[in-house]
């Protein structure tokens, strides 16, 4: 049986040694003493302390593990594991020691258990506590020191709200406005979401360059930006909020957003009968008349087209500040106006009607305004029963009885002229200026031809020899005749009369014979054009003359 606990014992042992040189065995007695120790459990921790990294208030670190080992000689019974010390609320633990108790002495497989600790600071600054283990080992309860630092992520949003200018529904989105998000705290900021929320969230859109997600953080002192645009889907006041969810307290942070959905209006300053033009000749152009278009709404009026519709749209032309160059759109601010300048350029006689048509983004588009004008005209032609063609022989005259017909009450003074391509002929218009007052007025055109010249005497130059020789001889004879007349004129003091006689002698080309003269109107069919002109507008009538 074992000795009593704590009993001191003594004994001796005999050691035998062999002397190899003499082959003699020697024996030595060694005394042994000791004190019996009773079996007891032991406890060790690895590691012996835990230090946690800085953590934002409200956040939690990952777990760190303490291994508990029974290094004694008897079973270790663990009765409790708890957090004690200065800041026990900032740390938490889970363990396998209670469930595994008792622990067998090492190195048995069941000689260890674990304690997992996390750090979740409740305030900023250094935080400390202990893991406390109550057991049946000597020195119970044993403790493991815990330390960590509480930090805070702070958020500052600049500006704190966004207000957008009025915008027409359906128009392109407004230019972006930027919100700067800055981490003003002492710890990293984790952003989980950035979104638009609120009543009219569909009217606003946000884009950003911020780190979002659990693996991305915005370090202390850093900033990112969020761009917001406004495109209203309705009219009136539109509101929403920019919402940022993150690890700052409180979360989410909100930036109020506001804007106005506007409506443009359009109204012509001229009403009722619209623009009325006086009498204008077909193909002429009137002076322009203005029609002012005012934006009576609270949004920008965008004009995309100005034209004419109705019965006679081609008879009117538009210009002015409402008309964009090259078909470009024109924007008119609320309360402002632009002008449509209208010109009447009729293409046919009669009453001509149309409507200005302005296409824009106002609810009443297109805007229309009546325009009307009276177009008159005149025509040149033969009188009733008359003709615009004639046949003559050289030397005869042809008289054409013509008239100016008034269309739609035409009244003006018409100037008449002609183009006469007929050789050796004259064209006379009577009268050349005609006042027309709504009724047809007649006039005459007389074309006179020239007959060939004949004589019973031989030509003056019918001299013997070649043609060139006859011309040379004739010129010499004429020169002597002039010289003789000149001398005679000086002597008789009537030199001019004699000189004229000499010229007539040459021009008459006298002589006898029956040859035809080449100076008459040649045979053929000719067209004489008679033109009537009023204010730059012309009308013509062709006359056909056949010379036999």
């Amino acid at each position: 049986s074992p000795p009593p606990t704590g009993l001191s014992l003594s004994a001796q042992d005999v050691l035998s040694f062999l002397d190899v040189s003499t082959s003699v065995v020697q024996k030595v007695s060694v005394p042994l003493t000791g004190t019996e120790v009773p079996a007891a459990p032991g406890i060790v921790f690895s590691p012996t302390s835990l230090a946690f990294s800085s953590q934002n208030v409200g956040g939690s670190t990952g777990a760190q593990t303490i291994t508990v080992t029974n290094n004694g000689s008897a079973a270790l019974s663990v009765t409790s594991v708890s957090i004690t010390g200065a800041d026990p609320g900032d740390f938490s633990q889970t363990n396998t020691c209670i469930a595994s108790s008792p622990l067998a002495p090492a190195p048995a497989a069941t000689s260890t258990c674990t304690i997992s600790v996390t750090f979740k600071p409740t305030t900023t600054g250094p935080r400390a506590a202990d893991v406390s283990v109550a057991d049946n080992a000597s020195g119970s309860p044993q403790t493991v020191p815990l330390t960590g630092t509480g930090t805070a992520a702070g958020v500052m949003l600049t500006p704190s709200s966004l207000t957008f200018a009025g915008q027409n529904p359906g128009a392109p989105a407004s230019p972006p406005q930027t919100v700067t998000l800055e981490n003003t705290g002492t710890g990293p900021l984790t952003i989980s979401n950035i979104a638009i929320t609120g009543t009219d969230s569909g009217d606003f859109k946000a884009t950003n360059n911020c780190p979002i997600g659990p693996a991305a953080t915005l370090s202390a002192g850093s900033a990112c930006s969020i761009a917001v645009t406004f495109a209203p889907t309705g009219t009136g006041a539109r509101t929403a909020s920019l919402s940022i969810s993150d690890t700052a307290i409180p979360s989410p942070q909100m930036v109020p957003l506001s804007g106005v959905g506007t409506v443009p209006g359009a109204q012509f300053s001229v009403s009722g009968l619209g623009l009325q033009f006086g009498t204008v000749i077909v193909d002429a152009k009137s002076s322009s008349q203005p029609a002012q278009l005012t934006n009576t709404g609270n949004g920008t009026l965008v004009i995309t087209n100005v034209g004419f519709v109705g019965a006679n749209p081609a008879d009117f032309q538009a210009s002015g500040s409402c008309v964009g160059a090259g078909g470009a759109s024109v924007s008119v601010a609320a309360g402002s106006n632009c002008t449509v300048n209208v010109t009447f350029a009729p293409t046919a006689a009669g009453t001509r009607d149309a409507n200005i048509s302005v296409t824009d983004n106002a609810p009443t588009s297109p805007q229309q305004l009546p325009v009307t004008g009276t177009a008159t005209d005149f025509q040149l032609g033969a009188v009733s029963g008359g003709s615009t063609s004639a046949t003559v022989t050289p030397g005869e005259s042809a008289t054409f009885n013509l008239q100016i017909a008034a269309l739609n009450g035409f009244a003006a003074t018409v100037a008449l002229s002609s183009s006469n391509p007929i050789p050796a002929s004259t064209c006379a218009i009577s009268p050349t200026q005609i006042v027309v007052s709504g009724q047809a007025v007649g006039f005459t055109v007389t074309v006179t031809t020239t007959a060939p010249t004949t004589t019973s005497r031989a030509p003056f130059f019918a001299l013997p020899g070649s043609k060139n020789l006859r011309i040379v001889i004739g010129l010499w004879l004429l020169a002597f005749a002039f010289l003789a007349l000149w001398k005679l004129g000086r002597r008789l003091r009537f030199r001019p009369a004699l000189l004229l006689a000499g010229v007539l002698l040459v021009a008459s080309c006298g002589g006898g014979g029956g040859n035809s003269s080449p100076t008459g109107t040649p045979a053929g069919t000719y067209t004489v054009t008679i033109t009537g002109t009023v204010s730059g507008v012309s009308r013509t009538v062709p006359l056909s003359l056949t010379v036999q």
Side-chain angles (χ1 to χ4, degrees), residues 45-54 61-68 81-84 87 90-95 113-120 126-133 143-149:
F45 299 99
S46 178
T48 57
S49 65
L50 294 181
F52 290 87
S53 61
S54 297
T61 66
Q64 294 192 46
T65 301
I66 301 171
T67 300
V68 180
V81 178
S82 61
I83 303 295
T84 60
D87 306 303
D90 289 20
F91 301 87
S92 61
Q93 63 81 28
T94 59
N95 68 86
C113 64
T114 58
I115 303 172
S116 296
V117 183
T118 57
F119 175 45
K120 185 177 182 179
R127 312 300 289 168
D130 297 294
V131 172
S132 177
V133 179
T143 59
V144 176
L146 308 174
T147 58
T149 300

Side-chain angles (χ1 to χ4, degrees), residues 394-456:
E396 291 182 339
S397 296
T399 299
F400 299 90
N401 293 314
L402 306 177
Q403 68 175 7
I404 299 176
L407 302 180
N408 199 37
F410 173 80
T413 299
V414 181
L416 298 171
S417 61
S418 68
S419 65
N420 181 18
I422 307 175
S425 69
T426 60
C427 180
I429 302 174
S430 180
T432 57
Q433 296 263 347
I434 298 178
V435 177
V436 182
S437 298
Q439 300 294 327
V441 180
F443 64 98
T444 61
V445 175
T446 301
V447 180
T448 303
T449 62
T450 302
T453 302
T454 60
T455 179
S456 60

Side-chain angles (χ1 to χ4, degrees), residues 200-218:
D200 304 306
S201 58
D203 291 17
F204 302 85
K205 292 190 182 301
T207 58
N208 68 85
N209 62 358
C210 299
I212 297 178
T217 60
L218 185 67

